[in-house]
Amino acid sequence: MLELCFDMSTCGALRVAQRCGGSGRKGFGFVLSRTEDGGNVTSTTVIGFDDGKAPAGEEIHQIQRAQRRQAALEREAIPLGGSPSDVLVLSLGLDMGDIREPLGADRWDLLRRWCDGDDETTDRDWQRNLEAAERLRSCGSRDAVRIWVDHTPYGACGLLHAASLLKDTKADVRVVFLPPWRERPDGVVETYLGWGEVEPELFGRFLSREEPLPPVMLGAMAHRWEVLRQENAPLRAVVNGRVRSVGEDFYDEMIRRHLPEGQTKIANIIGEVLGREKPGIGDVWLAERIRQMLSTGELRMLREDRERFYRSVVERT
């Protein structure tokens, strides 16, 4: 079974999900990231493995809560099985930019710019995209592909693009749609926008939602993708459950709603939009639109950080 997703975070989670629970992933340590102001700890976050320092107080409670949560996840875990090489990713960000050649040089250049000059990472990820696309095209009637679909614009566009790669292969294609919410055994309700928000231990729990994607649907999706390619709008968004071409200013009102009175860092604006509006896009496009607002005079640059744009301070004009 090939597992297909549309972002690197989900790709990593799927690989862990293949072997989690049972004899798979068990136990972990912690390192606490501490933010201090004048000697006072203002925040602590569990981010990794034990660095040898002895935690105390609230840090211990954080560790204990995280350990209990991990133990609960392990009890729920249903391993997907398979090999890491069976996990494919098409991380192309197809909701943004020119899509006439989704696997062409222009898309590669665009991804390189979005990765802020990290050529090594971009080149590695691009090669994985090309390999995934070729493997999908080469599927036959004996192959099965399970596509993990969520509510993000890039995921919806990724599904349509994948359909165009698979429509003539006769492969057994299935989809698992991410539900908008899930009730945990302890009664807590978790809400989801993308598969990247789901713990690896839970992926197997969603297999009951798996549905076949018949050839007629693959053909319809492939046709829809071709229409979008021909329109080649600056953006694509999910509007009333359907992927549509939209203008480059589609998210501008969301940005305006989170422009405070007075000065603020660009990072704060983007964080508010992503956290409160949950548009299902990354920070790249929002940063581009803020640059546009600066160029038109809607925003004024107060303190520019030429190395890290997000640290720059702006205000409304």
Side-chain angles (χ1 to χ4, degrees):
M1 173 71 74
L2 298 178
E3 311 282 359
L4 175 63
C5 62
F6 304 109
D7 66 279
M8 292 300 172
S9 176
T10 304
C11 177
L14 279 169
R15 290 183 171 185
V16 175
Q18 289 179 322
R19 62 186 187 278
C20 65
S23 60
R25 187 170 76 157
K26 272 189 176 295
F28 53 95
F30 305 90
V31 58
L32 288 134
S33 171
R34 302 166 63 95
T35 302
E36 299 190 7
D37 182 11
N40 297 317
V41 176
T42 58
S43 66
T44 57
T45 308
V46 179
I47 60 173
F49 289 89
D50 192 352
D51 63 355
K53 296 180 180 178
E58 178 58 26
E59 295 176 352
I60 293 178
H61 294 310
Q62 286 190 358
I63 291 175
Q64 290 172 338
R65 286 195 294 269
Q67 288 175 327
R68 288 194 295 269
R69 174 62 178 153
Q70 182 61 31
L73 287 170
E74 289 293 339
R75 288 193 296 270
E76 285 194 82
I78 300 176
L80 295 179
S83 165
S85 63
D86 295 332
V87 178
L88 307 181
V89 60
L90 289 172
S91 182
L92 297 166
L94 295 176
D95 57 317
M96 300 183 288
D98 190 320
I99 57 169
R100 285 172 295 182
E101 296 294 336
L103 294 163
D106 289 344
R107 174 58 48 169
W108 183 24
D109 289 340
L110 189 61
L111 293 175
R112 288 169 71 94
R113 293 202 302 273
W114 288 345
C115 286
D116 197 23
D118 188 349
D119 291 347
E120 183 178 351
T121 299
T122 307
D123 292 347
R124 181 198 65 209
D125 292 347
W126 182 253
Q127 188 60 37
R128 293 174 71 177
N129 285 324
L130 296 180
E131 291 171 357
E134 182 56 33
R135 194 163 179 188
L136 292 174
R137 289 194 191 100
S138 64
C139 283
S141 57
R142 295 184 178 181
D143 293 306
V145 181
R146 181 160 51 212
I147 308 176
W148 298 83
V149 184
D150 57 30
H151 315 292
T152 60
Y154 66 80
C157 290
L159 174 62
L160 299 180
H161 175 231
S164 73
L165 299 175
L166 288 164
K167 66 182 178 68
D168 297 322
T169 65
K170 302 187 186 309
D172 174 14
V173 182
R174 311 168 190 180
V175 291
V176 182
F177 290 102
L178 176 66
W181 60 273
R182 168 185 178 269
E183 183 177 359
R184 291 177 4 191
D186 59 7
V188 174
V189 175
E190 297 175 316
T191 59
Y192 302 120
L193 181 64
W195 280 111
E197 300 174 349
V198 179
E199 293 97 336
E201 289 81 3
L202 297 180
F203 275 72
R205 288 280 169 183
F206 293 103
L207 289 179
S208 61
R209 302 179 62 87
E210 183 178 306
E211 301 177 15
L213 197 60
V216 65
M217 281 302 300
L218 278 175
M221 289 178 174
H223 174 72
R224 180 59 186 160
W225 179 244
E226 184 59 27
V227 170
L228 293 169
R229 283 184 61 247
Q230 294 301 320
E231 293 173 347
N232 199 33
L235 285 177
R236 282 146 295 281
V238 179
V239 181
N240 296 326
R242 182 176 174 82
V243 181
R244 298 185 183 277
S245 297
V246 297
E248 62 184 9
D249 60 350
F250 184 77
Y251 297 107
D252 285 11
E253 281 305 313
M254 292 185 187
I255 296 174
R256 294 186 181 106
R257 283 198 290 271
H258 297 283
L259 293 175
E261 295 298 330
Q263 61 184 359
T264 187
K265 287 184 178 180
I266 289 171
N268 294 338
I269 301 171
I270 293 175
E272 284 291 302
V273 174
L274 295 177
R276 296 183 181 276
E277 302 284 350
K278 300 189 183 302
I281 63 172
D283 57 346
V284 173
W285 190 264
L286 297 178
E288 289 297 315
R289 296 309 299 167
I290 290 173
R291 287 189 174 95
Q292 177 66 17
M293 290 177 176
L294 286 165
S295 70
T296 61
E298 185 173 350
L299 293 177
R300 178 189 301 117
M301 181 69 75
L302 297 180
R303 292 195 300 276
E304 182 177 9
D305 189 323
R306 295 185 180 276
E307 293 185 358
R308 297 191 178 184
F309 176 69
Y310 288 23
R311 291 184 177 180
S312 300
V313 177
V314 300
E315 69 175 1
R316 290 176 181 263
T317 55

